[in-house]
Amino acid sequence: MENMYQREEQRETQREQSEYTVSELSLLIKQSIEQKFGHVRVRGEVSGLKIAPSGHAYFSLKDDGAVLSAVCWRGQWNAMKHKPEEGLEVICSGMLTAYSGQSKYQMIVKSSRPAGVGALMALLEKRKKQFKEEGLFDAEHKKPIPFLPKTIGVIASPTGAVIQDIIHRIEDRFPTHILLWPVLVQGDESAAQITNAINGFNRRTVKPDVLIVARGGGSIEDLWSF
């Protein structure tokens, strides 16, 4: 029994002798966090989003019980397909790290996406409200569609069933000249290609009378670039 007490006293003495400077302890905590949470996915609502002059994005992810600070470096922010937006629920992927100088930890975000169809619909409604407030839906911006267009510009996939349907319907009802601008209709590059096609048709010396931007059906994620 005496030996047992002696060993316990020795262990207690050793614990008392293990001293860290504040910097040493902070570094150990930082290393521990980064090793354990080197890759995480976190779901939360975006709050306090700010883009610094450097191009880095700073924001928080929050839920009903906690708030997590986050940063996305400029290169990754610019490359994101779905950037976090204020009030949007997202799923962010990245790693946790600690800023040992102030005993704080944060998430370094490498990618982000809306948290399901509900978040996408919320973002769509936000866009519609924004564009309406900007007056983009006002009647003064609308142009009458020609009754019998002489040239129709079509922005669509050159290989899908949609372009064949368009060609057949036009030939059946009123054959006219069709100009196809081939684009991707889903994926990371789709939105930019569609935008470039619209601008390209509008830069032509002889413009089509109307434009059709089309694709087949699909999920809201597939249709999102439109």
Side-chain angles (χ1 to χ4, degrees):
M1 183 66 71
E2 184 177 352
N3 290 336
M4 184 180 69
Y5 284 124
Q6 288 175 346
R7 287 195 298 270
E8 182 62 30
E9 288 177 357
Q10 289 174 354
R11 285 195 292 267
E12 184 65 29
T13 301
Q14 289 173 353
R15 282 195 293 267
E16 292 176 354
Q17 291 175 345
S18 298
E19 294 181 352
Y20 298 103
T21 66
V22 174
S23 297
E24 288 172 343
L25 182 58
S26 296
L27 180 59
L28 287 172
I29 293 172
K30 174 181 171 68
Q31 292 172 341
S32 178
I33 289 175
E34 291 179 351
Q35 289 172 2
K36 188 170 183 179
F37 302 100
H39 178 73
V40 293
R41 292 198 307 162
V42 181
R43 180 173 186 149
E45 180 184 324
V46 178
S47 176
L49 176 64
K50 294 181 180 179
I51 309 300
S54 61
H56 306 319
Y58 298 90
F59 56 96
S60 295
L61 295 172
K62 67 177 184 178
D63 59 19
D64 293 338
V67 178
L68 173 64
S69 296
V71 58
C72 184
W73 306 129
R74 178 178 60 188
Q76 291 166 327
W77 178 262
N78 292 337
M80 276 188 181
K81 178 183 176 182
H82 293 297
K83 292 180 173 61
E85 296 192 20
E86 186 72 28
L88 181 67
E89 186 180 19
V90 297
I91 298 174
C92 290
S93 297
M95 63 174 291
L96 292 188
T97 186
Y99 178 55
S100 55
Q102 294 184 2
S103 300
K104 294 182 179 180
Y105 69 93
Q106 64 180 355
M107 181 177 184
I108 298 177
V109 175
K110 297 182 179 179
S111 65
S112 172
R113 61 180 177 84
V117 174
L120 284 173
M121 293 305 297
L123 182 57
L124 178 61
E125 291 302 317
K126 180 180 177 181
R127 288 278 191 275
K128 289 167 62 177
K129 181 180 179 181
Q130 174 189 342
F131 294 157
K132 183 176 181 180
E133 291 174 349
E134 292 176 3
L136 300 182
F137 296 147
D138 291 354
E140 63 188 62
H141 299 304
K142 299 184 183 297
K143 297 181 179 180
I145 298 176
F147 176 61
L148 297 175
K150 295 180 180 179
T151 302
I152 297 176
V154 179
I155 300 169
S157 168
T159 59
V162 169
I163 183 60
Q164 298 304 320
D165 290 342
I166 291 173
I167 292 172
H168 292 158
R169 295 291 77 74
I170 291 174
E171 289 178 347
D172 289 345
R173 297 179 183 184
F174 186 83
T176 190
H177 184 48
I178 299 173
L179 292 176
L180 171 64
W181 195 304
V183 296
L184 294 173
V185 292
Q186 69 182 63
D188 294 346
E189 300 178 13
S190 173
Q193 289 192 13
I194 293 170
T195 301
N196 291 337
I198 294 172
N199 292 333
F201 270 131
N202 284 324
R203 284 194 298 266
R204 289 174 59 96
T205 303
V206 180
K207 301 179 179 63
D209 297 306
V210 293
L211 293 181
I212 299 175
V213 184
R215 67 152 286 155
S219 66
I220 185 173
E221 290 87 352
D222 292 339
L223 294 165
W224 191 250
S225 58
F226 282 75

